[in-house]
Amino acid sequence: MAEVARIGILTSGGDCAGLNPAIRAVVHRAHGYGWQVIGIRNGTAGLFSRPAECVKLTPEIAGGEMLRRGGTILGSTNKGDPFAFPLADGRLLDRSDEVIEGYRELELGALVVAGGDGSLHILRRLAEKGGIPLVAIPKTIDNDLGLTEISVGHDTAVATATDALDHLQPTAASHSRVMVLEVMGRDAGHIALSAGVAGGADVILIPEIPYRIARVAEKIESLKAAGRNFALVIVAEAVKTEMGEPVLVRHGGGQAGYGGIGHYIAERIGDATGAETRVTVLGHIQRGGMPSARDRIIASAFGVHAVDLIAEGSFDRMVAWRERRVTDVPILDAIRHYQAVDPHGTLARAARGLGICLGD
Ligand code: F6P
């Protein structure tokens, strides 16, 4: 077994439900080995400060209530890449040495990071440069990391989007409307496809399948002809306009991100069918909820396995869920195998088999 006195853990990138259960599992397993656990605050940002911003995590702090708690008790950041840190005047500065130095000052035997593909790419570079023994836990509501069937946070996001469709259906039926629900997912349509199937959507639009509004309009007309007075449409945020342009929104603070395709689709449906439409943009509600049972289970198993990897002295590995069990894969391979929706995969076929229109 590797000689380790204490390990660090940080959560990086967009938060999601299930991070706290993962932290809890890491703390409990590490204490089983007799190790201390140091939680680093706000992702790599906590390692810029001197002393580094951190907290000692004990099994008492990481109690059962952590299973139920959304977000991450450690805080996170999805900006401020230490290799290209944005300065106030717009220049980018390489501050990676500061982060590595911050890590070294903590005298840790290894580091666990819970992150998505962007964070894992950065952390891996830092680990390589600074000789940091690194183990990763995949987390992303988008579920787009390769070589793992599921990442922490996705299940809760799907449940939340499904719940939104459940709430939209009665009001759609009461007012004879077409309801358009825009969901997150960055460049992948996993949330939209899964929630669309689970929530009985009539139309699911995802970036992996090109669509025509005419096809969507046909579906809505056919529902009307069959006597249905409403329709449910779910659209992934990265779906482009029919002309192929991404629809973006500029957030306060200057960052731009996907946002607004729901309004575009609703307007085009209204024009094509005369239907009354309404739009719901679900946004960060998908990220902040109480973790689903499945996310708690996955996060717990991942956290335990991540610490076992450290005990074995296996580094540069990401824990993964494959064929009903937890295993591990090289971090680099997971990042390289971006996991988009397979347009001919099981779920897309199931959706088509159910008569759901995928826009093509
Ligand atoms: O990658 C997770 C995610 O929630 C995406 O689905 C979404 O596009 C993005 O993060 C939102 O990021 P932010 O929290 O910066 O608005």
Side-chain angles (χ1 to χ4, degrees), residues 46-356:
L47 294 171
F48 285 127
S49 311
R50 295 293 176 273
E53 283 178 76
C54 57
V55 56
K56 195 188 279 182
L57 295 172
T58 60
E60 295 70 45
I61 290 179
E65 68 287 352
M66 292 267 284
L67 289 169
R68 284 172 263 284
R69 210 160 145 182
T72 160
I73 57 159
L74 295 176
S76 191
T77 178
N78 60 1
K79 50 184 196 288
D81 174 357
F83 289 95
F85 194 86
L87 301 180
D89 61 8
R91 281 180 306 131
L92 297 176
L93 185 68
D94 183 351
R95 297 184 65 188
S96 55
D97 286 336
E98 286 172 63
V99 169
I100 291 167
E101 194 44 45
Y103 170 82
R104 287 205 181 118
E105 282 183 12
L106 292 174
E107 298 182 341
L108 303 172
L111 180 64
V112 179
V113 56
D117 58 347
S119 298
L120 296 192
H121 176 73
I122 293 169
L123 263 298
R124 206 179 162 271
R125 274 184 80 187
L126 285 168
E128 226 169 34
K129 186 174 178 189
I132 300 170
L134 184 70
V135 166
I137 295 175
K139 68 88 224 167
T140 162
I141 65 164
D142 309 337
N143 208 27
D144 54 357
L145 255 167
L147 304 189
T148 181
E149 284 151 23
I150 188 93
S151 288
V152 174
H154 178 65
D155 188 69
T156 306
V158 170
T160 305
T162 304
D163 190 51
L165 286 174
D166 292 348
H167 282 76
L168 288 171
Q169 189 278 330
T171 173
S174 302
H175 287 265
S176 302
R177 284 172 172 163
V178 174
M179 291 296 190
V180 177
L181 176 67
E182 179 182 316
V183 295
M184 281 185 168
R186 189 124 326 148
D187 296 307
H190 295 289
I191 298 176
L193 183 55
S194 295
V197 169
D202 301 296
V203 178
I204 302 174
L205 300 179
I206 58 174
E208 294 87 346
I209 301 179
Y211 71 97
R212 308 299 322 156
I213 283 291
R215 304 289 302 149
V216 176
E218 258 171 44
K219 173 71 188 179
I220 287 165
E221 297 290 9
S222 76
L223 291 172
K224 205 153 96 187
R228 181 102 87 66
N229 72 330
F230 73 91
L232 297 178
V233 177
I234 186 164
V235 54
E237 61 179 356
V239 166
K240 297 188 166 71
T241 66
E242 264 196 303
M243 310 305 289
E245 289 141 6
V247 183
L248 302 174
V249 66
R250 185 157 291 282
H251 301 296
Q255 268 190 307
Y258 289 124
I261 187 64
H263 287 94
Y264 169 87
I265 296 289
E267 216 173 290
R268 301 299 309 279
I269 289 174
D271 291 347
T273 64
E276 193 180 359
T277 62
R278 288 292 186 273
V279 182
T280 302
V281 180
L282 202 52
H284 291 79
I285 295 201
Q286 293 155 100
R287 291 235 304 251
M290 186 189 283
S292 67
R294 189 160 161 73
D295 266 330
R296 298 180 202 190
I297 293 163
I298 289 163
S300 300
F302 277 173
V304 167
H305 193 73
V307 176
D308 287 345
L309 284 175
I310 296 173
E312 278 168 23
S314 293
F315 298 111
D316 200 16
R317 308 217 34 105
M318 182 188 88
V319 301
W321 195 277
R322 290 163 75 99
E323 296 175 2
R324 302 174 72 96
R325 55 187 286 270
V326 177
T327 180
D328 50 271
V329 298
I331 297 176
L332 188 59
D333 290 355
I335 300 167
R336 280 194 181 143
H337 289 83
Y338 182 78
Q339 186 173 284
V341 170
D342 176 359
H344 308 291
T346 301
L347 261 193
R349 281 196 356 252
R352 289 183 204 280
L354 290 163
I356 298 171

